[in-house]
C-alpha cells in the first residue's frame, strides 16, 4: 500500500478531501466537495483529476466517508466513479452519506453501484 499525503492548508469553499492518516484505506470528505476541492486534492496527490481515482485505489483506499460532507457535485461523483472500477470484484464503500450528498448518489443511480453504509456511531 502506498502512503498518500494528507493535504494541509486552506480548504477551498469550505470543503476538504483527505486520506485518514489513522485509517489509510479511508478517504474523508468534509464540507462542500466541488470541482475546486477535487482539483486541489488531485494536485496534492501529484496527478490530474482523471488519475486521482486510480491513484487512490492503488494506494489501498476502500472506503469514502461522506459523513462530514454537506454537498457533492459532479466532480465528486466522477472521483467516486473513478475509484470504483479499481475495487472490483469488491464494491467501493461509501459511508455516512446523508442529506444532499445521499440524494445526489440516489438521483444519479450510484447507490446501485456503490455500497452505501450508515455512519459509524
Amino acid at each position: 500500500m502506498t502512503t498518500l499525503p494528507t493535504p494541509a492548508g486552506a480548504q477551498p469553499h469550505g470543503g476538504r478531501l483527505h486520506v485518514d492518516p489513522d485509517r489509510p484505506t479511508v478517504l474523508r470528505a468534509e464540507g462542500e466537495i466541488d470541482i475546486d476541492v477535487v482539483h486541489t486534492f488531485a494536485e496534492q496527490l501529484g496527478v490530474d483529476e482523471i488519475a486521482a481515482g486510480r491513484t487512490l485505489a492503488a494506494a489501498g483506499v476502500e472506503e469514502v466517508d461522506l459523513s462530514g460532507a454537506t454537498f457533492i457535485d459532479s466532480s465528486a461523483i466522477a472521483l467516486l466513479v473513478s475509484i470504483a472500477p479499481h475495487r472490483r470484484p469488491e464494491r467501493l464503500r461509501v459511508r455516512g452519506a446523508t442529506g444532499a450528498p445521499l440524494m445526489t448518489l440516489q438521483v444519479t443511480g450510484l447507490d446501485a453501484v456503490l455500497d452505501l453504509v450508515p455512519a459509524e456511531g
Side-chain angles (χ1 to χ4, degrees):
M1 180 180 341
T2 305
T3 301
L4 296 174
T6 300
Q11 298 179 19
H13 300 284
R16 179 177 179 222
L17 289 167
H18 64 99
V19 175
D20 187 329
D22 296 325
R23 294 181 58 204
T25 61
V26 178
L27 174 65
R28 294 201 185 279
E30 300 167 357
E32 296 181 11
I33 308 303
D34 62 13
I35 191 166
D36 291 332
V37 174
V38 173
H39 177 77
T40 298
F41 181 67
E43 280 185 336
Q44 291 168 335
L45 292 176
V47 298
D48 61 18
E49 292 91 342
I50 295 170
R54 182 176 57 246
T55 300
L56 291 165
V61 169
E62 302 171 350
E63 178 178 305
V64 178
D65 183 347
L66 293 181
S67 61
T70 57
F71 170 83
I72 58 173
D73 74 358
S74 60
S75 60
I77 294 294
L79 181 60
L80 294 175
V81 168
S82 70
I83 298 169
H86 301 286
R87 293 280 309 133
R88 289 188 184 130
E90 300 294 320
R91 289 171 35 145
L92 179 65
R93 278 187 315 275
V94 177
R95 183 174 303 281
T98 61
L102 177 59
M103 187 167 51
T104 300
L105 294 173
Q106 291 169 332
V107 166
T108 59
L110 286 177
D111 59 330
V113 178
L114 305 169
D115 278 340
L116 299 183
V117 293
E120 295 174 342

